[in-house]
Amino acid sequence: MNFETAVFYFFAAILLFAGLRVITARNPVHAALFLVLAFFTAAGLWLMLEAEFLAITLVLVYVGAVMVLFLFVVMMLDINLDKLREGFWDYLPLAGIVATLMVLEMVVVLGGKQFGLSAVPAPIAHAANYSNTKELGRLLYTDYVYPFELAAVILLVAIVAAIALTMRRRKHTKYQDPAQQVKIKRADRIRMVSMASEKAVSTEQISQPEK
Amino acid sequence: MEFLQNLFGFTWPVVWSLAKIVAIVGPLMIAVAYLTYAERKVIGYMQVRIGPNRVGFKGLLQPIADGLKLMMKEIIIPSGSNKFLFVLAPVLTIAPALAAWAVIPFTPELVLANVDAGLLYIMAITSMGVYGVIIAGWASNSKYAFLGSLRSAAQIVSYEIAMGFALVGVLMASQSLNLIDIVKGQAGGVFSWYWLPLFPMFIVYLIAGVAETNRAPFDVAEGESEIVAGFHVEYSGMAFAVFFLAEYANMILIATLVALMFLGGWNPLFDIAPFTWIPAFVWLMLKVGFVLFLFLWFRATFPRYRYDQIMRLGWKVFIPVTLIWLLFVGGMMQTRYGYLFH
């Protein structure tokens, strides 16, 4: 076993452990944090496959953004473990069927002749100056430019739709217009009043109300 | 050197890497300590005070006294807190702040790891710093800490987007993700540095950098007047100090990145005789020091932003500005004036 294989098994063990803890951890916050660990370890494995761009993007997007928002939501939940575990036995048959289906699919993919180790050989190791990032960018913006742009537009529509759903003006909310605030001049707020000076009033006169 | 190599045998690469890491982290920690001193002195003079002047000559030993004091203090773990995560949070905060330095070049040759995708690596690593803040707030089992961590996390995630777009501008101008190549692309005097063609992005990156590090005027995460000290209100002693170290290490990191990507890195101010005599490393340090001074200056000058103002600035001002400038730079590169943007 050379160094690379050892590193692979080390990462794979952490990934499996983290993945398992995601579904077994009692506390949802712990589960989410284990998912972060799983993503991070997966990124390490991708680095070993010379897919450094994908690995870094996985960390940047999923660990750095998606999971942060996910944690946000999970942390604000009022966690009641008893309630969470309530319907466990009711849902077990359905979950069992889904799990069996997934295992079967994995067997077809990993064990079949189409995708087995013999059908898909290991990728050729590239020289040190090979840039995975550059290759990926070239492919995305030349050969696959239409699917790529289409996906981008669909995502944009989804973003606009999500924002549109939350856009509602409540009647009693007060809004500020920063542009207006910046434009304010001294004359808009201050009025100079010239007053004739008044005669000083002694304190005794004030304290004694008129009879 | 060869003697050492024989001494350690096959473990030599590990030992050598560790030695290099210590050679970066050690000076960095000293820089952090003296940045706190500089901050107190600079702000002191700006407010017509003297600042620390009792410990050592002109107060020069103050940071060391502060460090000793914090190490002597007890680390109190609040009841009802999640102990493991409570202790883990400071570690998660400082780890990215230090790990990012792996790809930072100090001179054309002096770099721990000359990675091809260095810029991406930095973006990925710095985006993980927010976990320490979130976990610290949640694990403390305190409302103030939790509110602080929510504020901070939302702020960091928002400003990261504008920062990312500003970096895309740098990437377009230099046509490389490698930090050494980015600096080499700016060779030839102050007017070839990227701050000029990417001026809006330079400003956005600088301000977003202040917001990313939760520094004043964007320090609502620890707003003393509203939520006492935000996410680290329950921390004491060295655990608290680690958050502090991470904040200042991040400040130095952002300042170094600004110097490398917009202020020409180690390139001299002008490519003529008296300027080229100064060594590359000194030039870089001068620029980093300048940006750090700006950080301190901001803190002494501006009142704290309100939370909705921060969000508005990030989403409605910075992101559109960077996007429009990206389009502008991209368009100009297709014309015959494209050389101005490289």
Side-chain angles (χ1 to χ4, degrees), chain A residues 162-178:
Chain A
I163 294 174
L165 280 177
T166 59
M167 281 276 271
R168 48 177 181 188
R169 290 239 157 193
R170 289 198 199 92
K171 240 187 281 173
H172 305 294
T173 324
K174 286 175 181 164
Y175 289 92
Q176 288 176 328
D177 185 356

Side-chain angles (χ1 to χ4, degrees), chain B residues 165-177:
Chain B
F165 278 131
L167 292 188
V168 173
V170 175
L171 172 61
M172 281 166 73
S174 64
Q175 301 183 335
S176 171
L177 282 168

Side-chain angles (χ1 to χ4, degrees), chain A residues 27 29-30 33 36 40 52-53 56 59-60 62-64 67-69 71-72 75-76 129-131 133 176 178, chain B residues 82 85 116-117 120-121 123-124 127-128 130-131 134-135 138 146 149-150 153-154 157 160 177 306 308 312:
Chain A
N27 193 326
V29 173
H30 290 178
L33 287 174
V36 172
F40 196 74
E52 65 264 7
F53 179 75
I56 292 175
V59 173
L60 191 63
Y62 280 91
V63 178
M67 285 314 292
V68 172
L69 299 179
L71 263 180
F72 239 79
M75 279 179 178
M76 285 197 271
N129 61 357
Y130 168 81
S131 173
T133 315
Q176 288 176 328
Chain B
N82 192 316
L85 289 181
D116 230 9
L120 271 177
Y121 169 83
M123 283 170 75
S127 73
M128 292 193 332
V130 64
Y131 278 102
I134 297 187
I135 292 174
W138 184 78
F146 190 53
S149 78
L150 285 182
V157 170
E160 229 165 49
L177 282 168
R306 213 174 51 216
D308 61 314
R312 183 182 158 271

